[in-house]
Coordinates of all heavy atoms in Angstrom, one line a residue:
A92 N -31.6 -35.2 33.1 CA -32.8 -35.9 32.8 C -32.7 -37.3 33.3 O -33.7 -37.9 33.9 CB -33.0 -35.8 31.3
E93 N -31.5 -37.9 33.1 CA -31.4 -39.3 33.5 C -31.5 -39.4 35.1 O -32.1 -40.3 35.6 CB -30.0 -39.9 33.1 CG -29.9 -40.2 31.6 CD -28.5 -40.6 31.2 OE1 -27.7 -40.9 32.1 OE2 -28.3 -40.6 30.0
I94 N -30.9 -38.5 35.8 CA -30.9 -38.5 37.3 C -32.3 -38.3 37.7 O -32.8 -39.0 38.7 CB -29.9 -37.4 37.8 CG1 -28.5 -37.8 37.5 CG2 -30.2 -37.2 39.3 CD1 -27.5 -36.7 37.9
E95 N -33.1 -37.4 37.1 CA -34.4 -37.2 37.5 C -35.3 -38.4 37.2 O -36.1 -38.8 38.0 CB -35.0 -36.0 36.8 CG -34.5 -34.7 37.3 CD -35.0 -33.5 36.5 OE1 -36.0 -33.7 35.6 OE2 -34.6 -32.4 36.6
R96 N -35.1 -39.1 36.1 CA -35.8 -40.3 35.8 C -35.5 -41.4 36.8 O -36.4 -42.1 37.2 CB -35.4 -40.8 34.4 CG -36.4 -41.7 33.7 CD -36.1 -42.1 32.3 NE -35.5 -41.0 31.5 CZ -34.4 -41.0 30.9 NH1 -33.6 -42.0 31.0 NH2 -34.0 -39.9 30.1
E97 N -34.2 -41.5 37.2 CA -33.8 -42.6 38.2 C -34.4 -42.2 39.5 O -34.9 -43.1 40.2 CB -32.3 -42.6 38.3 CG -31.6 -43.3 37.1 CD -30.1 -43.2 37.2 OE1 -29.6 -42.7 38.3 OE2 -29.4 -43.6 36.3
N98 N -34.5 -41.0 39.9 CA -35.1 -40.6 41.2 C -36.6 -40.9 41.2 O -37.1 -41.3 42.2 CB -34.8 -39.1 41.5 CG -33.4 -38.9 41.9 OD1 -32.7 -39.8 42.3 ND2 -33.0 -37.6 41.8
K99 N -37.3 -40.7 40.1 CA -38.7 -40.9 40.0 C -39.0 -42.4 40.1 O -39.9 -42.9 40.7 CB -39.3 -40.4 38.7 CG -39.5 -38.9 38.8 CD -40.2 -38.4 37.5 CE -40.3 -36.8 37.7 NZ -40.9 -36.3 36.5
Q100 N -38.1 -43.2 39.5 CA -38.2 -44.7 39.5 C -38.0 -45.2 40.9 O -38.7 -46.1 41.4 CB -37.3 -45.4 38.5 CG -37.7 -45.2 37.1 CD -36.7 -45.8 36.1 OE1 -35.6 -46.2 36.6 NE2 -37.0 -45.7 34.9
E101 N -37.0 -44.7 41.7 CA -36.7 -45.1 43.0 C -37.7 -44.7 44.0 O -38.2 -45.4 44.9 CB -35.3 -44.7 43.4 CG -34.2 -45.3 42.6 CD -32.9 -44.8 43.0 OE1 -32.8 -43.9 43.9 OE2 -31.9 -45.1 42.4
N102 N -38.2 -43.4 43.9 CA -39.1 -42.8 44.8 C -40.3 -42.3 44.0 O -40.3 -41.0 43.7 CB -38.5 -41.7 45.7 CG -37.4 -42.2 46.5 OD1 -37.4 -43.3 47.0 ND2 -36.3 -41.4 46.6
P103 N -41.3 -43.0 43.7 CA -42.4 -42.5 42.9 C -43.3 -41.5 43.6 O -43.9 -40.7 43.0 CB -43.2 -43.7 42.6 CG -42.8 -44.8 43.4 CD -41.4 -44.4 44.0
Q104 N -43.2 -41.4 45.0 CA -44.0 -40.4 45.7 C -43.5 -39.0 45.6 O -44.2 -38.0 45.9 CB -44.2 -40.8 47.2 CG -44.9 -42.1 47.4 CD -43.9 -43.2 47.6 OE1 -42.7 -43.0 47.7 NE2 -44.5 -44.5 47.7
I105 N -42.2 -38.8 45.3 CA -41.6 -37.5 45.3 C -42.3 -36.5 44.4 O -42.5 -35.4 44.7 CB -40.1 -37.6 45.0 CG1 -39.4 -38.3 46.1 CG2 -39.5 -36.2 44.8 CD1 -37.9 -38.5 45.8
G106 N -42.7 -36.9 43.2 CA -43.3 -36.0 42.2 C -44.7 -35.9 42.3 O -45.4 -35.0 41.7

Side-chain angles (χ1 to χ4, degrees):
E93 287 176 12
I94 290 172
E95 287 177 10
R96 200 175 320 120
E97 289 174 4
N98 285 341
K99 284 184 181 180
Q100 288 174 355
E101 291 175 6
N102 300 323
Q104 294 98 9
I105 292 180

